[in-house]
């Protein structure tokens, strides 16, 4: 079984699940996001966002392929490129960190070490660009798949709470720790990235 990780570009954006490539929860502010969905153009907005980040900052994602089938991806960027991040009570993301927007692995390919390889690849990329950590806004009351990852799952894979909140704590993962993860963390990571997003539902925070 051949597997490879490649940078996310406009050329392979179509390999992502449709619900993900048409989701603009993170890429637009709440008002603009609602407008994009209402006008039926979220996929165009997603493409425009990725194009802008690639041109101005560089690689902002990785896609995992197994035998040429896309089975997972991770999306990340500095908070300056993520308008929705300002809508959280625990903002802002630290200056030395990049924000984890979302990540996913297809259920049939979980527990195969793909999650570990994916995040370690991102860690090496970001370390080489001068960043020290990944931060994310968790959902402490997570009940079903949504745009935010569950806070308890983030904690299980090594994130630490840097700003607590009853609903949306901000969590941080030091990048260097990802290069020497143990098996229990790898299994927890697979469970985290296996959280499947439903069709995006934009809602006020």
């Amino acid at each position: 079984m051949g597997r490879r990780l490649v940078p996310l570009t406009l050329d392979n954006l179509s390999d992502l699940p449709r619900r993900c490539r048409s989701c603009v929860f993170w890429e637009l502010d709440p008002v603009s996001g609602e407008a994009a969905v209402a006008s039926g153009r979220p996929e165009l907005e997603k493409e425009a966002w990725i194009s802008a980040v690639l041109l101005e900052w560089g690689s902002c994602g990785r896609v995992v392929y197994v035998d040429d089938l896309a089975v997972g991806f991770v999306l990340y960027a500095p908070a300056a490129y993520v308008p929705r991040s300002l809508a959280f009570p625990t903002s802002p993301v630290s200056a030395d960190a990049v924000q984890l927007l979302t990540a996913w692995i297809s259920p049939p390919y979980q527990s195969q070490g793909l999650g570990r390889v994916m995040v370690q690849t991102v860690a090496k990329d970001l370390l080489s660009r001068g960043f020290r950590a990944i931060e994310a806004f968790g959902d402490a009351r997570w009940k079903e798949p949504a745009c935010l990852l569950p806070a308890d799952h983030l904690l299980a894979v090594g994130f630490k709470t840097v700003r607590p909140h009853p609903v949306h704590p901000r969590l941080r993962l030091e990048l260097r720790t990802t290069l020497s993860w143990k098996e229990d963390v790898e299994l927890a990571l697979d469970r985290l990235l296996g959280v499947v997003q439903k069709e995006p539902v934009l809602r006020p925070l």
Side-chain angles (χ1 to χ4, degrees):
M1 179 175 65
R3 64 185 188 183
R4 57 193 174 92
L5 281 81
V6 302
L8 174 65
T9 67
L10 293 179
D11 292 333
N12 59 16
L13 178 61
S14 61
D15 290 342
L16 271 56
R18 183 174 182 180
R19 61 181 176 277
C20 299
R21 64 177 184 264
S22 64
C23 177
V24 290
F25 178 87
W26 291 111
E27 293 83 356
L28 299 175
D29 63 79
V31 174
S32 298
E34 293 281 5
V37 172
S39 63
R41 53 181 173 82
E43 289 192 32
L44 293 178
E45 294 288 356
K46 185 87 164 192
E47 291 180 5
W49 182 86
I50 290 176
S51 177
V53 177
L54 286 172
L55 287 172
E56 297 174 12
W57 183 67
S59 178
C60 59
R62 290 290 188 275
V63 183
V64 184
Y65 292 91
V66 174
D67 294 336
D68 295 324
L69 175 68
V71 301
F73 76 96
V74 59
L75 191 63
Y76 54 93
Y81 292 96
V82 189
R84 175 71 68 151
S85 70
L86 299 176
F88 287 83
T90 49
S91 295
V93 170
S94 302
D96 64 348
V98 167
Q99 184 180 344
L100 169 65
L101 305 186
T102 191
W104 171 82
I105 288 179
S106 177
Y109 296 90
Q110 294 169 27
S111 302
Q112 297 181 16
L114 293 177
R116 171 182 54 83
V117 174
M118 185 163 65
V119 176
Q120 287 183 330
T121 299
V122 172
K124 291 176 181 177
D125 172 38
L126 296 179
L127 281 168
S128 70
R129 295 158 78 174
F131 294 95
R132 295 179 56 190
I134 297 175
E135 292 191 357
F137 297 101
D139 184 351
R141 299 178 180 176
W142 189 92
K143 294 182 179 180
E144 60 182 12
C147 297
L148 275 73
L149 295 170
D152 59 344
H153 285 201
L154 289 167
L155 291 169
V157 302
F159 279 78
K160 306 296 184 184
T161 302
V162 291
R163 189 167 179 191
H165 187 270
V167 182
H168 298 304
R170 178 160 51 90
L171 304 105
R172 178 182 175 95
L173 177 67
E174 299 295 333
L175 291 172
R176 293 192 182 279
T177 67
T178 67
L179 304 182
S180 59
W181 275 337
K182 296 187 181 296
E183 184 178 355
D184 56 343
V185 176
E186 295 172 9
L187 291 175
L189 181 66
D190 278 330
R191 290 196 297 270
L192 169 64
L193 300 185
V195 173
V196 181
Q197 294 184 347
K198 292 181 179 179
E199 294 296 330
V201 177
L202 297 176
R203 58 190 186 286
L205 297 172

